[in-house]
Amino acid sequence: GSGKSSSGTTSSTNTDLSGKTPAQVLTIAGEAAHAKGSVHWVAQNCALIGACVTDSAAGTGQQVITTPSNGSSTFVVFPDMLYFKADSQYLSKYASYAARSASIYAGQWIAIPPASVDYQAYSQGITFESDMQFLLPVATPAVPLAFTKTVTFHGMSVVGISGAIPSGSGFTGTQVLYVSKVAPYLPVGGTATETNPQGMSGTATITYSDWGKPLSLTRPANTIPLSSVNPFQS
């Protein structure tokens, strides 16, 4: 039986995910996510530096990063331009600005064109396409895909699948994706136990919501072109 009663509700003991392998559940969740085209996600210990609040859609998105002790930043991505604003602490710590430059450009919107390597680096994890690249854990010889023991996430009934962090993110380690047991079986969150290229390790947690919600972004006014920014004024 399908597990569906006449009222259209699905019983908790028999859903369309039952009997599926971890890889099959990931395929279903990945296809459901891709079909939505946009998502809101919040991560704690994001990239091992702080909290990230992100809205992603095709070719576009916005992300606010708040760190415990090294300031904050905002990124707004359009296909033709990326806008970046940060305080002096963030500029000096994470963007490698010299002290004087960090104070000059603090709070200013910097406009970064798509041809810049900064555009490619900063837009990773903000646009929907780049988010989807790293959404699903992968199987490796050392880390096969497996179901986790977790059955609820933030009060939702879920299936958890663990595996390795996909290559290309710059981080290595393992990640878990929690998939809703309710159709269309969308990802609702996950965790990543990761090591960055500098050898720092930690665990990040992420929550997904608002799948498919339209995204409306505003271009910042009064921007400074990246070509006129000098980050090395000490």
Side-chain angles (χ1 to χ4, degrees):
S2 69
K4 293 201 187 286
S5 66
S6 56
S7 68
T9 56
T10 303
S11 74
S12 59
T13 52
N14 183 10
T15 73
D16 287 5
L17 297 182
S18 57
K20 300 279 194 289
T21 65
Q24 287 170 330
V25 173
L26 288 179
T27 298
I28 291 166
E31 287 173 354
H34 275 93
K36 291 295 183 183
S38 64
V39 67
H40 173 78
W41 59 267
V42 178
Q44 303 301 328
N45 206 22
C46 172
L48 305 182
I49 65 171
C52 292
V53 178
T54 310
D55 291 285
S56 295
T60 185
Q62 177 172 295
Q63 183 173 77
V64 178
I65 300 175
T66 311
T67 74
S69 54
N70 292 306
S72 60
S73 63
T74 304
F75 302 84
V76 182
V77 183
F78 291 90
D80 64 340
M81 196 67 70
L82 183 151
Y83 303 93
F84 166 59
K85 178 177 77 170
D87 57 22
S88 59
Q89 288 169 285
Y90 191 99
L91 288 173
S92 57
K93 170 73 176 177
Y94 298 112
S96 303
Y97 279 42
R100 185 154 175 263
S101 294
S103 79
I104 290 170
Y105 298 113
Q108 309 263 13
W109 283 106
I110 297 168
I112 302 171
S116 163
V117 293
D118 285 351
Y119 182 102
Q120 306 305 327
Y122 289 156
S123 63
Q124 279 296 318
I126 301 178
T127 63
F128 190 72
E129 301 86 338
S130 64
D131 276 344
M132 292 300 98
Q133 280 182 294
F134 306 113
L135 175 71
L136 308 178
V138 297
T140 67
V143 187
L145 294 175
F147 289 120
T148 69
K149 288 180 179 164
T150 306
V151 292
T152 60
F153 179 84
H154 289 218
M156 291 174 278
S157 183
V158 296
V159 174
I161 299 105
S162 62
I165 293 172
S167 62
S169 68
F171 288 79
T172 56
T174 57
Q175 77 181 55
V176 175
L177 185 73
Y178 297 118
V179 178
S180 171
K181 278 190 169 182
V182 179
Y185 314 112
L186 285 161
V188 295
T191 61
T193 303
E194 54 196 15
T195 301
N196 71 8
Q198 292 75 43
M200 254 181 71
S201 296
T203 299
T205 60
I206 189 166
T207 306
Y208 299 105
S209 60
D210 293 338
W211 286 102
K213 187 177 176 183
L215 188 58
S216 174
L217 295 177
T218 307
R219 286 182 191 264
N222 307 319
T223 63
I224 303 168
L226 181 67
S227 54
S228 65
V229 170
N230 175 4
F232 308 117
Q233 302 172 71
S234 50

mmCIF file of all heavy atoms in Angstrom, residues 41-54 63-68 75 90 94 124-126 131 171 192 194 196 200 202-206:
data_model
loop_
_atom_site.group_PDB
_atom_site.id
_atom_site.type_symbol
_atom_site.label_atom_id
_atom_site.label_comp_id
_atom_site.label_asym_id
_atom_site.label_seq_id
_atom_site.Cartn_x
_atom_site.Cartn_y
_atom_site.Cartn_z
ATOM 1 N N TRP A 41 18.388 29.700 3.703
ATOM 2 C CA TRP A 41 19.091 28.827 4.649
ATOM 3 C C TRP A 41 19.878 29.621 5.673
ATOM 4 O O TRP A 41 20.354 30.713 5.403
ATOM 5 C CB TRP A 41 19.960 27.786 3.945
ATOM 6 C CG TRP A 41 21.054 28.244 3.028
ATOM 7 C CD1 TRP A 41 20.980 28.433 1.672
ATOM 8 C CD2 TRP A 41 22.425 28.520 3.376
ATOM 9 N NE1 TRP A 41 22.205 28.811 1.159
ATOM 10 C CE2 TRP A 41 23.097 28.871 2.178
ATOM 11 C CE3 TRP A 41 23.129 28.493 4.579
ATOM 12 C CZ2 TRP A 41 24.467 29.214 2.157
ATOM 13 C CZ3 TRP A 41 24.487 28.836 4.567
ATOM 14 C CH2 TRP A 41 25.139 29.189 3.358
ATOM 15 N N VAL A 42 19.941 29.031 6.857
ATOM 16 C CA VAL A 42 20.658 29.645 7.978
ATOM 17 C C VAL A 42 21.654 28.630 8.503
ATOM 18 O O VAL A 42 21.290 27.476 8.767
ATOM 19 C CB VAL A 42 19.677 30.048 9.104
ATOM 20 C CG1 VAL A 42 20.440 30.649 10.285
ATOM 21 C CG2 VAL A 42 18.627 31.022 8.584
ATOM 22 N N ALA A 43 22.915 29.023 8.616
ATOM 23 C CA ALA A 43 23.950 28.107 9.104
ATOM 24 C C ALA A 43 24.643 28.704 10.319
ATOM 25 O O ALA A 43 24.955 29.892 10.345
ATOM 26 C CB ALA A 43 24.970 27.824 8.013
ATOM 27 N N GLN A 44 24.866 27.858 11.317
ATOM 28 C CA GLN A 44 25.671 28.232 12.478
ATOM 29 C C GLN A 44 27.065 27.641 12.302
ATOM 30 O O GLN A 44 27.200 26.506 11.866
ATOM 31 C CB GLN A 44 25.030 27.704 13.768
ATOM 32 C CG GLN A 44 23.598 28.183 13.986
ATOM 33 C CD GLN A 44 23.465 29.691 14.041
ATOM 34 O OE1 GLN A 44 24.375 30.399 14.490
ATOM 35 N NE2 GLN A 44 22.332 30.210 13.583
ATOM 36 N N ASN A 45 28.080 28.442 12.646
ATOM 37 C CA ASN A 45 29.483 28.060 12.415
ATOM 38 C C ASN A 45 29.744 27.836 10.925
ATOM 39 O O ASN A 45 30.510 26.965 10.523
ATOM 40 C CB ASN A 45 29.881 26.827 13.222
ATOM 41 C CG ASN A 45 31.382 26.792 13.511
ATOM 42 O OD1 ASN A 45 32.054 27.825 13.476
ATOM 43 N ND2 ASN A 45 31.914 25.622 13.783
ATOM 44 N N CYS A 46 29.088 28.649 10.118
ATOM 45 C CA CYS A 46 29.211 28.613 8.657
ATOM 46 C C CYS A 46 30.662 28.899 8.264
ATOM 47 O O CYS A 46 31.238 29.890 8.705
ATOM 48 C CB CYS A 46 28.282 29.687 8.105
ATOM 49 S SG CYS A 46 28.396 30.021 6.377
ATOM 50 N N ALA A 47 31.243 28.015 7.436
ATOM 51 C CA ALA A 47 32.650 28.138 7.031
ATOM 52 C C ALA A 47 33.581 28.269 8.239
ATOM 53 O O ALA A 47 34.686 28.792 8.137
ATOM 54 C CB ALA A 47 32.856 29.314 6.078
ATOM 55 N N LEU A 48 33.095 27.811 9.389
ATOM 56 C CA LEU A 48 33.833 27.842 10.663
ATOM 57 C C LEU A 48 34.141 29.253 11.148
ATOM 58 O O LEU A 48 35.063 29.456 11.936
ATOM 59 C CB LEU A 48 35.134 27.025 10.555
ATOM 60 C CG LEU A 48 34.997 25.568 10.101
ATOM 61 C CD1 LEU A 48 36.357 24.873 10.089
ATOM 62 C CD2 LEU A 48 34.022 24.799 10.992
ATOM 63 N N ILE A 49 33.368 30.270 10.668
ATOM 64 C CA ILE A 49 33.659 31.630 11.131
ATOM 65 C C ILE A 49 32.495 32.306 11.854
ATOM 66 O O ILE A 49 32.708 33.227 12.628
ATOM 67 C CB ILE A 49 34.165 32.547 9.987
ATOM 68 C CG1 ILE A 49 33.092 32.786 8.928
ATOM 69 C CG2 ILE A 49 35.443 31.996 9.369
ATOM 70 C CD1 ILE A 49 33.484 33.848 7.909
ATOM 71 N N GLY A 50 31.252 31.890 11.590
ATOM 72 C CA GLY A 50 30.135 32.578 12.229
ATOM 73 C C GLY A 50 28.798 32.105 11.714
ATOM 74 O O GLY A 50 28.678 30.985 11.218
ATOM 75 N N ALA A 51 27.796 32.974 11.807
ATOM 76 C CA ALA A 51 26.449 32.632 11.346
ATOM 77 C C ALA A 51 26.223 33.206 9.957
ATOM 78 O O ALA A 51 26.566 34.361 9.694
ATOM 79 C CB ALA A 51 25.412 33.179 12.309
ATOM 80 N N CYS A 52 25.645 32.398 9.065
ATOM 81 C CA CYS A 52 25.308 32.844 7.711
ATOM 82 C C CYS A 52 23.802 32.775 7.535
ATOM 83 O O CYS A 52 23.194 31.741 7.817
ATOM 84 C CB CYS A 52 25.933 31.938 6.646
ATOM 85 S SG CYS A 52 27.711 32.012 6.542
ATOM 86 N N VAL A 53 23.208 33.862 7.056
ATOM 87 C CA VAL A 53 21.794 33.872 6.682
ATOM 88 C C VAL A 53 21.743 34.177 5.193
ATOM 89 O O VAL A 53 22.230 35.220 4.753
ATOM 90 C CB VAL A 53 21.005 34.927 7.479
ATOM 91 C CG1 VAL A 53 19.545 34.942 7.042
ATOM 92 C CG2 VAL A 53 21.117 34.658 8.970
ATOM 93 N N THR A 54 21.191 33.239 4.416
ATOM 94 C CA THR A 54 21.305 33.300 2.962
ATOM 95 C C THR A 54 19.970 33.075 2.281
ATOM 96 O O THR A 54 19.195 32.215 2.690
ATOM 97 C CB THR A 54 22.301 32.229 2.465
ATOM 98 O OG1 THR A 54 23.511 32.332 3.215
ATOM 99 C CG2 THR A 54 22.623 32.399 0.988
ATOM 100 N N GLN A 63 23.602 37.176 1.157
ATOM 101 C CA GLN A 63 24.116 36.500 2.341
ATOM 102 C C GLN A 63 24.642 37.521 3.341
ATOM 103 O O GLN A 63 25.352 38.453 2.973
ATOM 104 C CB GLN A 63 25.248 35.537 1.964
ATOM 105 C CG GLN A 63 25.804 34.731 3.123
ATOM 106 C CD GLN A 63 26.792 33.680 2.649
ATOM 107 O OE1 GLN A 63 27.935 33.991 2.340
ATOM 108 N NE2 GLN A 63 26.332 32.427 2.567
ATOM 109 N N VAL A 64 24.266 37.319 4.601
ATOM 110 C CA VAL A 64 24.794 38.129 5.699
ATOM 111 C C VAL A 64 25.577 37.199 6.614
ATOM 112 O O VAL A 64 25.059 36.172 7.063
ATOM 113 C CB VAL A 64 23.666 38.828 6.483
ATOM 114 C CG1 VAL A 64 24.245 39.616 7.658
ATOM 115 C CG2 VAL A 64 22.864 39.746 5.561
ATOM 116 N N ILE A 65 26.843 37.536 6.859
ATOM 117 C CA ILE A 65 27.700 36.748 7.744
ATOM 118 C C ILE A 65 27.985 37.575 8.993
ATOM 119 O O ILE A 65 28.397 38.728 8.895
ATOM 120 C CB ILE A 65 29.034 36.365 7.067
ATOM 121 C CG1 ILE A 65 28.783 35.543 5.806
ATOM 122 C CG2 ILE A 65 29.942 35.599 8.035
ATOM 123 C CD1 ILE A 65 30.056 35.226 5.016
ATOM 124 N N THR A 66 27.737 36.976 10.146
ATOM 125 C CA THR A 66 28.029 37.642 11.417
ATOM 126 C C THR A 66 28.978 36.749 12.207
ATOM 127 O O THR A 66 28.665 35.581 12.454
ATOM 128 C CB THR A 66 26.736 37.842 12.225
ATOM 129 O OG1 THR A 66 25.739 38.414 11.380
ATOM 130 C CG2 THR A 66 26.983 38.775 13.401
ATOM 131 N N THR A 67 30.137 37.270 12.564
ATOM 132 C CA THR A 67 31.111 36.468 13.298
ATOM 133 C C THR A 67 31.133 36.903 14.766
ATOM 134 O O THR A 67 30.783 38.044 15.077
ATOM 135 C CB THR A 67 32.529 36.608 12.707
ATOM 136 O OG1 THR A 67 33.066 37.901 13.053
ATOM 137 C CG2 THR A 67 32.517 36.463 11.184
ATOM 138 N N PRO A 68 31.552 36.018 15.680
ATOM 139 C CA PRO A 68 31.548 36.372 17.105
ATOM 140 C C PRO A 68 32.494 37.519 17.441
ATOM 141 O O PRO A 68 32.179 38.347 18.293
ATOM 142 C CB PRO A 68 31.999 35.083 17.796
ATOM 143 C CG PRO A 68 31.749 33.997 16.813
ATOM 144 C CD PRO A 68 31.931 34.609 15.467
ATOM 145 N N PHE A 75 26.675 40.271 1.306
ATOM 146 C CA PHE A 75 26.919 40.061 -0.116
ATOM 147 C C PHE A 75 25.573 40.051 -0.833
ATOM 148 O O PHE A 75 24.634 39.400 -0.375
ATOM 149 C CB PHE A 75 27.597 38.712 -0.371
ATOM 150 C CG PHE A 75 28.901 38.528 0.352
ATOM 151 C CD1 PHE A 75 28.925 38.086 1.671
ATOM 152 C CD2 PHE A 75 30.110 38.787 -0.273
ATOM 153 C CE1 PHE A 75 30.134 37.903 2.344
ATOM 154 C CE2 PHE A 75 31.318 38.615 0.390
ATOM 155 C CZ PHE A 75 31.322 38.173 1.704
ATOM 156 N N TYR A 90 35.967 42.779 9.728
ATOM 157 C CA TYR A 90 35.813 41.711 8.734
ATOM 158 C C TYR A 90 36.771 41.923 7.564
ATOM 159 O O TYR A 90 37.408 40.983 7.083
ATOM 160 C CB TYR A 90 34.367 41.672 8.231
ATOM 161 C CG TYR A 90 34.051 40.443 7.401
ATOM 162 C CD1 TYR A 90 33.412 39.352 7.976
ATOM 163 C CD2 TYR A 90 34.389 40.369 6.049
ATOM 164 C CE1 TYR A 90 33.117 38.215 7.232
ATOM 165 C CE2 TYR A 90 34.104 39.246 5.296
ATOM 166 C CZ TYR A 90 33.463 38.169 5.895
ATOM 167 O OH TYR A 90 33.195 37.050 5.159
ATOM 168 N N TYR A 94 39.162 38.804 7.158
ATOM 169 C CA TYR A 94 38.791 37.820 6.128
ATOM 170 C C TYR A 94 39.029 38.280 4.696
ATOM 171 O O TYR A 94 39.089 37.464 3.791
ATOM 172 C CB TYR A 94 37.326 37.409 6.298
ATOM 173 C CG TYR A 94 37.068 36.750 7.631
ATOM 174 C CD1 TYR A 94 36.287 37.369 8.596
ATOM 175 C CD2 TYR A 94 37.624 35.506 7.929
ATOM 176 C CE1 TYR A 94 36.063 36.768 9.828
ATOM 177 C CE2 TYR A 94 37.413 34.904 9.163
ATOM 178 C CZ TYR A 94 36.627 35.541 10.104
ATOM 179 O OH TYR A 94 36.418 34.955 11.317
ATOM 180 N N GLN A 124 30.090 31.832 -4.525
ATOM 181 C CA GLN A 124 29.973 30.423 -4.136
ATOM 182 C C GLN A 124 29.173 30.309 -2.845
ATOM 183 O O GLN A 124 29.461 30.992 -1.867
ATOM 184 C CB GLN A 124 31.364 29.806 -3.916
ATOM 185 C CG GLN A 124 32.083 29.381 -5.171
ATOM 186 C CD GLN A 124 31.358 28.262 -5.913
ATOM 187 O OE1 GLN A 124 30.861 27.330 -5.310
ATOM 188 N NE2 GLN A 124 31.316 28.380 -7.221
ATOM 189 N N GLY A 125 28.170 29.454 -2.849
ATOM 190 C CA GLY A 125 27.368 29.279 -1.644
ATOM 191 C C GLY A 125 26.278 30.314 -1.485
ATOM 192 O O GLY A 125 25.529 30.270 -0.508
ATOM 193 N N ILE A 126 26.176 31.254 -2.431
ATOM 194 C CA ILE A 126 25.107 32.253 -2.373
ATOM 195 C C ILE A 126 24.105 32.027 -3.497
ATOM 196 O O ILE A 126 22.898 32.022 -3.263
ATOM 197 C CB ILE A 126 25.665 33.693 -2.414
ATOM 198 C CG1 ILE A 126 26.622 33.925 -1.234
ATOM 199 C CG2 ILE A 126 24.525 34.711 -2.383
ATOM 200 C CD1 ILE A 126 27.272 35.290 -1.210
ATOM 201 N N ASP A 131 24.872 26.539 -4.336
ATOM 202 C CA ASP A 131 24.349 25.842 -3.166
ATOM 203 C C ASP A 131 24.054 24.377 -3.480
ATOM 204 O O ASP A 131 24.349 23.480 -2.687
ATOM 205 C CB ASP A 131 23.047 26.497 -2.680
ATOM 206 C CG ASP A 131 23.303 27.690 -1.774
ATOM 207 O OD1 ASP A 131 24.441 27.823 -1.291
ATOM 208 O OD2 ASP A 131 22.373 28.471 -1.555
ATOM 209 N N PHE A 171 36.516 22.417 1.741
ATOM 210 C CA PHE A 171 36.472 21.768 3.047
ATOM 211 C C PHE A 171 36.466 20.253 2.876
ATOM 212 O O PHE A 171 35.941 19.737 1.889
ATOM 213 C CB PHE A 171 35.203 22.179 3.811
ATOM 214 C CG PHE A 171 35.227 23.598 4.299
ATOM 215 C CD1 PHE A 171 34.949 24.650 3.441
ATOM 216 C CD2 PHE A 171 35.542 23.884 5.620
ATOM 217 C CE1 PHE A 171 34.979 25.971 3.891
ATOM 218 C CE2 PHE A 171 35.563 25.198 6.075
ATOM 219 C CZ PHE A 171 35.290 26.238 5.209
ATOM 220 N N ALA A 192 27.682 19.507 9.158
ATOM 221 C CA ALA A 192 28.944 19.176 8.496
ATOM 222 C C ALA A 192 30.061 19.244 9.521
ATOM 223 O O ALA A 192 30.208 20.250 10.221
ATOM 224 C CB ALA A 192 29.230 20.133 7.350
ATOM 225 N N GLU A 194 33.769 19.495 9.554
ATOM 226 C CA GLU A 194 34.647 19.861 8.443
ATOM 227 C C GLU A 194 35.981 20.426 8.901
ATOM 228 O O GLU A 194 36.126 20.926 10.003
ATOM 229 C CB GLU A 194 33.934 20.881 7.544
ATOM 230 C CG GLU A 194 33.433 22.108 8.282
ATOM 231 C CD GLU A 194 32.411 22.917 7.480
ATOM 232 O OE1 GLU A 194 31.876 22.411 6.475
ATOM 233 O OE2 GLU A 194 32.167 24.067 7.863
ATOM 234 N N ASN A 196 38.953 23.075 7.275
ATOM 235 C CA ASN A 196 39.191 24.022 6.183
ATOM 236 C C ASN A 196 40.629 23.899 5.673
ATOM 237 O O ASN A 196 41.443 23.156 6.244
ATOM 238 C CB ASN A 196 38.837 25.456 6.615
ATOM 239 C CG ASN A 196 39.822 26.048 7.619
ATOM 240 O OD1 ASN A 196 40.876 25.483 7.911
ATOM 241 N ND2 ASN A 196 39.455 27.196 8.158
ATOM 242 N N MET A 200 41.855 24.206 10.270
ATOM 243 C CA MET A 200 40.881 24.418 11.349
ATOM 244 C C MET A 200 39.726 23.443 11.190
ATOM 245 O O MET A 200 39.282 23.200 10.071
ATOM 246 C CB MET A 200 40.312 25.834 11.267
ATOM 247 C CG MET A 200 40.801 26.802 12.302
ATOM 248 S SD MET A 200 39.978 28.403 12.014
ATOM 249 C CE MET A 200 38.305 28.009 12.536
ATOM 250 N N GLY A 202 35.758 21.976 12.767
ATOM 251 C CA GLY A 202 34.581 22.285 13.565
ATOM 252 C C GLY A 202 33.346 21.681 12.936
ATOM 253 O O GLY A 202 33.429 21.037 11.888
ATOM 254 N N THR A 203 32.204 21.905 13.587
ATOM 255 C CA THR A 203 30.944 21.394 13.065
ATOM 256 C C THR A 203 29.988 22.551 12.785
ATOM 257 O O THR A 203 29.786 23.418 13.643
ATOM 258 C CB THR A 203 30.294 20.407 14.057
ATOM 259 O OG1 THR A 203 31.181 19.308 14.247
ATOM 260 C CG2 THR A 203 28.963 19.892 13.533
ATOM 261 N N ALA A 204 29.440 22.566 11.578
ATOM 262 C CA ALA A 204 28.442 23.571 11.192
ATOM 263 C C ALA A 204 27.077 22.909 11.125
ATOM 264 O O ALA A 204 26.966 21.730 10.801
ATOM 265 C CB ALA A 204 28.802 24.160 9.836
ATOM 266 N N THR A 205 26.030 23.668 11.463
ATOM 267 C CA THR A 205 24.665 23.165 11.315
ATOM 268 C C THR A 205 23.901 24.102 10.385
ATOM 269 O O THR A 205 24.152 25.312 10.377
ATOM 270 C CB THR A 205 23.928 23.091 12.667
ATOM 271 O OG1 THR A 205 23.872 24.409 13.222
ATOM 272 C CG2 THR A 205 24.632 22.157 13.623
ATOM 273 N N ILE A 206 22.984 23.544 9.610
ATOM 274 C CA ILE A 206 22.262 24.336 8.614
ATOM 275 C C ILE A 206 20.785 23.958 8.630
ATOM 276 O O ILE A 206 20.436 22.806 8.886
ATOM 277 C CB ILE A 206 22.886 24.127 7.211
ATOM 278 C CG1 ILE A 206 22.326 25.095 6.185
ATOM 279 C CG2 ILE A 206 22.719 22.690 6.740
ATOM 280 C CD1 ILE A 206 23.150 25.158 4.903
#
